[in-house]
Amino acid sequence: MLGAMQDWPMRVTHVVDHAAREAGTREIVTRWADGSETRTDWAGIRRDALKLAQALQALGLEKGDKVASLAMNHSRHLVSWFGVAGMGGVLHTVNPRLFEDQLEYIVNHAEDRVLLYDAAFQPIVDMMRDRWPGVEHYICYDPPEGSDVRGFESWIGEQDGAFEWVGGDERDPCMICYTSGTTGNPKGVQYEHRSTVMHALAGLQPAAFNFSSSSVMLPVVPMFHAASWGLPYAGGMAGIKFVFSAINDPAVLHELMLREGVTDSAGVPTVWLAHFQYCDSEGLDLPPLKAATIGGSAAPRFMIERLMKNGTRVQHAWGMTETSPIGTVGGPSGNWDELSFEEKVDKTAKQGRAIFGVELRTVDLDDPTKVLPRDGETSGALQIRGPWVVKRYFKAEEDAVTEDGWFDTGDVGILHPDGTLQLTDRTKDVIKSGGEWISSVELENAAMGHPAVAEAACVGMYHPKWDERPVLFVIRKPGADCDAQGITAFLADKVAKWWLPDAVEFVEDIPHTATGKISKKDLRERHADYALPEAR
Ligand code: AMP
């Protein structure tokens, strides 16, 4: 027998309805690529989303159809998040940094019928048009003056907005994101209305984004990557002010943060690093943010320290496209006030604790049936389950989870007795030396603390006696001077002696994936002929 409460399918349109009703005049500011600025508010976002839903229907789109966006962060992209879902469609946020073959594959695989894009990506559209036979309509968010492409504002402007959201089951899909695909073709993860709403609600916890209605958020994490960490939805629920920038120039971001009273921001470590470098070169203080969310890659210790010294709470988050993406977030722990500054930094350098809704466990790397203790020491393959974790990739024939419902993340980590996750590596990158595991990520992070190191990447190379030994590839900071011995000496008191790299190689460049992470696969390929002295 059911209980007797009201039906309220968890659909994402509730988010924009709520925001427009309860925080209708809260501003949404956009700084466009051409330097111009527009201001709307949550009521305006909803109004335009209704018109977009109508305009899509007028093109003949139906429930379940896919609409792609190839766009940076701005208010019209936000409108599309709600308008596409509101007409029952599925928004496919395409990462413009993907390689041509991947772009071809994902748009065709998703069966996108309409593509909404930024003028900055016109060259991609021109290059791909013939390879995307299923895309029937191209609409430009910000057409340059005088161009003959169809512009978003004038297109939705033909509608009167008298539209009712298309309803349906809360398990209907509303968004699809493809993983960046370090091996094989990218895989599609289809988020549902329900999973999205639950994920966003969970993101509002004080232990996660900690938004209040006075929060002003400038998300640097792109809206095309892992649903921008769910921020547009969580922000709508809390009725916060958003400040978007369609370009990621630190000078622009800095100026916007100060002028618009930004309290919160979120981005991958490289974004924060670029901001530090900008402030240092201009002799400026860091912006007075209340909270900085850092995720996507491990937040280095020096970054956390600097932000915390600036009075900014650091929310170090772990997640992946497959997990909507938030899995864990680091915030003040139970005994926070008793910790020294150093201890607080140490704790924040770990990846935080699971937010309500997801469960984590680690299993033995060689025997996945063996669940490992949460003892703060034993590292293993990290698995996760919960309502916003992928069950099956889009169009896949088999589930992506174990029989008992756990998704294997491909990450390696340690769980601590207080629930804190400490990520140590990717399963494919962890280095096995003499039967013991070495964390390539820990070595990289430690090396990144060296004043002369701009970037470091560590991979295991074949060794005749130990199987694999770590080799560290380093890019020197411009004008900085350091040698291999100096780096090894620097690492000596930071990692176990037997972890110290067998070689440190200085390089001009380290390959990255389309989402800005170090691509170990490409690094290994690039140095396929590399041999350690012992193996030569
Ligand atoms: P993506 O699906 O592209 O967002 O990539 C997800 C992967 O990024 C995870 O499986 C981790 O390997 C990595 N990642 C995400 N957040 C963190 C973090 N805070 N620390 C270390 N690695 C992270």
Side-chain angles (χ1 to χ4, degrees), residues 207-479:
F209 297 135
N210 193 30
F211 285 148
S212 75
S213 45
S214 59
S215 302
V216 180
M217 164 56 107
L218 191 162
V220 188
V221 51
M223 291 173 84
F224 58 74
H225 185 210
S228 200
W229 302 349
L231 292 165
Y233 300 116
M237 287 176 174
I240 70 170
K241 168 175 165 180
F242 271 112
V243 180
F244 292 118
S245 175
I247 59 166
N248 279 345
D249 178 345
V252 170
L253 299 178
H254 191 82
E255 193 271 329
L256 275 174
M257 283 178 181
L258 296 185
R259 179 158 52 86
E260 295 295 330
V262 170
T263 57
D264 292 62
S265 187
V268 295
T270 43
V271 159
W272 294 101
L273 197 60
H275 210 125
F276 287 4
Q277 283 164 354
Y278 168 74
C279 289
D280 292 345
S281 69
E282 298 296 311
L284 299 169
D285 291 335
L286 290 183
L289 297 175
K290 286 194 182 141
T293 303
I294 312 180
S297 298
R301 214 176 176 288
F302 75 89
M303 187 172 285
I304 295 168
E305 213 170 69
R306 186 156 171 192
L307 285 163
M308 279 173 55
K309 282 193 179 144
N310 189 50
T312 301
R313 167 176 141 146
V314 177
Q315 295 157 181
H316 186 185
W318 165 85
M320 52 201 312
T321 305
E322 286 88 336
T323 63
S324 290
I326 306 292
T328 64
V329 187
S333 55
N335 61 348
W336 194 246
D337 293 340
E338 294 151 30
L339 301 181
S340 67
F341 181 77
E342 286 302 304
E343 287 168 327
K344 286 179 182 167
V345 175
D346 283 344
K347 194 147 194 83
T348 311
K350 301 189 177 75
Q351 279 74 8
R353 287 174 293 166
I355 54 172
F356 173 77
V358 291
E359 297 169 59
L360 299 177
R361 71 175 188 186
T362 49
V363 299
D364 194 283
L365 281 168
D366 295 318
D367 174 10
T369 61
K370 197 169 141 205
V371 177
L372 299 174
R374 292 178 168 228
D375 59 5
E377 286 171 18
T378 318
S379 74
L382 179 68
Q383 299 188 336
I384 184 168
R385 67 178 180 190
W388 56 83
V389 177
V390 70
K391 182 172 179 209
R392 181 182 286 220
Y393 289 105
F394 183 53
K395 291 185 177 170
E397 299 200 335
E398 282 173 22
D399 284 352
V401 294
T402 60
E403 263 176 27
D404 48 350
W406 293 88
F407 173 73
D408 198 294
T409 63
D411 284 326
V412 181
I414 296 171
L415 284 169
H416 288 256
D418 72 349
T420 300
L421 168 69
Q422 179 184 353
L423 222 65
T424 53
D425 221 324
R426 296 282 301 158
T427 329
K428 292 190 196 78
D429 300 332
V430 66
I431 299 162
K432 198 161 197 182
S433 175
E436 300 286 343
W437 300 104
I438 296 177
S439 161
S440 66
V441 172
E442 259 179 68
L443 277 170
E444 283 157 13
N445 286 346
M448 285 289 289
H450 189 291
V453 173
E455 191 166 25
C458 183
V459 290
M461 293 290 184
Y462 170 73
H463 187 284
K465 179 167 175 202
W466 304 110
D467 278 347
E468 278 186 332
R469 288 295 303 158
V471 173
L472 191 68
F473 292 89
V474 170
I475 305 180
R476 281 194 194 95
K477 279 192 187 152

Side-chain angles (χ1 to χ4, degrees), residues 16-178:
V16 77
D17 287 348
H18 172 86
R21 201 170 46 235
E22 311 300 339
T25 56
R26 203 78 176 113
E27 272 186 311
I28 311 287
V29 181
T30 301
R31 197 277 189 192
W32 296 89
D34 66 0
S36 62
E37 257 173 49
T38 52
R39 283 168 194 271
T40 180
D41 54 23
W42 278 109
I45 296 292
R46 180 173 184 273
R47 223 170 16 244
D48 285 351
L50 286 163
K51 290 184 184 179
L52 170 60
Q54 245 178 338
L56 289 168
Q57 271 196 349
L59 291 181
L61 264 76
E62 291 174 3
K63 201 169 172 199
D65 278 342
K66 308 276 193 315
V67 174
S69 63
L70 188 65
M72 301 298 289
N73 294 0
H74 50 70
S75 56
R76 293 175 196 146
H77 204 174
L78 186 66
V79 164
S80 314
W81 279 40
F82 294 109
V84 172
M87 77 102 221
V90 181
L91 184 72
H92 172 197
T93 49
V94 177
N95 180 347
R97 298 186 197 123
L98 291 177
F99 309 110
E100 274 174 53
D101 289 352
Q102 294 173 317
L103 286 170
E104 177 177 346
Y105 175 83
I106 62 170
V107 169
N108 292 331
H109 187 260
E111 300 178 43
D112 298 326
R113 290 187 61 190
V114 176
L115 188 113
L116 311 169
Y117 68 96
D118 286 356
F121 303 127
Q122 186 72 48
I124 298 182
V125 170
D126 293 342
M127 177 176 70
M128 300 303 299
R129 207 182 263 262
D130 292 342
R131 293 159 73 176
W132 288 333
V135 178
E136 299 157 42
H137 307 278
Y138 289 86
I139 289 138
C140 183
Y141 280 122
D142 52 344
E145 219 158 291
S147 85
D148 55 1
V149 296
R150 195 186 244 184
F152 184 84
E153 287 288 319
S154 56
W155 171 58
I156 64 166
E158 291 163 15
Q159 308 296 327
D160 60 9
F163 185 82
E164 276 203 17
W165 301 128
V166 173
D169 196 284
E170 59 182 19
R171 308 277 316 248
D172 285 344
C174 62
M175 182 176 274
I176 184 165
C177 293
Y178 280 75

